[in-house]
Amino acid sequence: MANAAFNKPLTPSATLAAIIGSKEISRPESLKKIWDYIKSSKETKKDAKDGRKYHSTDAKLVALLGSDFSMFDIAGKVSKNLK
């Protein structure tokens, strides 16, 4: 049985909406869209020594996550941008 609160539609902030759109979206769906965006961004590179870290010059990602971020930072930062 799915957790109803976990899948509740939430409204993204303007910073997050620049990446995933302004339509209400659940937390898991928003994280999937963020990962799709990160993977498709030519301005975001995975750290060669530590595959869990990323460096980005993509303005939208820098506004949301900062220029250097870990894969573990993403969920927390995205959650702060969903209401």
Side-chain angles (χ1 to χ4, degrees), residues 43-45 53-70 73 77:
E43 298 175 41
T44 304
K45 303 293 181 209
K53 294 184 179 180
Y54 292 82
H55 178 75
S56 182
T57 56
D58 183 296
K60 294 176 187 177
L61 280 177
V62 170
L64 180 67
L65 302 171
S67 61
D68 294 304
F69 57 93
S70 164
D73 298 334
K77 291 183 179 183

Side-chain angles (χ1 to χ4, degrees), residues 3-14:
N3 183 339
F6 192 66
N7 291 310
K8 176 182 168 188
L10 301 167
T11 304
S13 68

